[in-house]
């Protein structure tokens, strides 16, 4: 399952994402069976456009080799990292102190 959340992006992003994913709510897109190759191509397009147009985009996907079994990629916000702390998973901004 791939989920992409957008905020303050140009209409171009919304049209592109709606062409390959289901828009559940404004700015929230999901695809239950998107392959790794398609996911990487979609992210490459979003990354290229983000460099020109800005906005904020977060993508998450299932990845059993990562913490919490979930991958996370961000554009436009400080990068976030999933960390385990006392048996639960937390999101930590890159550069923030570790407890």
């Amino acid at each position: 399952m791939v989920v992409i959340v957008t905020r303050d992006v140009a209409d171009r992003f919304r049209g592109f994402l709606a062409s390959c994913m289901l828009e559940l709510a404004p700015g929230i897109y999901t695809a239950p069976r998107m392959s790794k190759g398609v996911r990487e191509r979609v992210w490459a397009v979003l990354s290229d456009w983000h460099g020109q147009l800005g906005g904020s985009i977060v993508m998450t996907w299932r990845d059993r080799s990562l913490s919490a079994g979930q991958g996370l990629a961000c554009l436009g916000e400080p990068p976030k990292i999933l960390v385990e702390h006392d048996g639960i998973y937390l999101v930590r901004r890159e550069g923030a102190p570790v407890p």
Side-chain angles (χ1 to χ4, degrees):
M1 169 77 74
V2 176
V3 177
I4 296 178
V5 179
T6 63
R7 190 178 66 219
D8 301 326
V9 296
D11 289 339
R12 161 189 267 189
F13 289 92
R14 297 187 72 188
F16 171 69
L17 289 170
S19 74
C20 56
M21 301 176 81
L22 175 64
E23 186 172 14
L24 297 177
I28 301 174
Y29 304 86
T30 184
R33 291 177 295 277
M34 183 179 283
S35 71
K36 179 181 178 182
V38 172
R39 182 184 78 234
E40 289 174 349
R41 287 191 295 275
V42 166
W43 190 250
V45 169
L46 297 177
S47 297
D48 182 47
W49 289 353
H50 180 268
Q52 302 165 22
L53 302 171
S56 176
I57 303 169
V58 177
M59 179 173 69
T60 185
W61 65 96
R62 183 179 187 185
D63 188 338
R64 292 182 180 177
S65 68
L66 298 174
S67 296
Q70 193 171 0
L72 186 66
C74 302
L75 292 169
E77 289 187 352
K80 297 175 180 127
I81 301 167
L82 291 176
V83 295
E84 184 179 359
H85 182 71
D86 290 336
I88 61 172
Y89 289 97
L90 304 170
V91 176
R92 180 174 67 87
R93 291 181 188 256
E94 192 171 86
V98 177

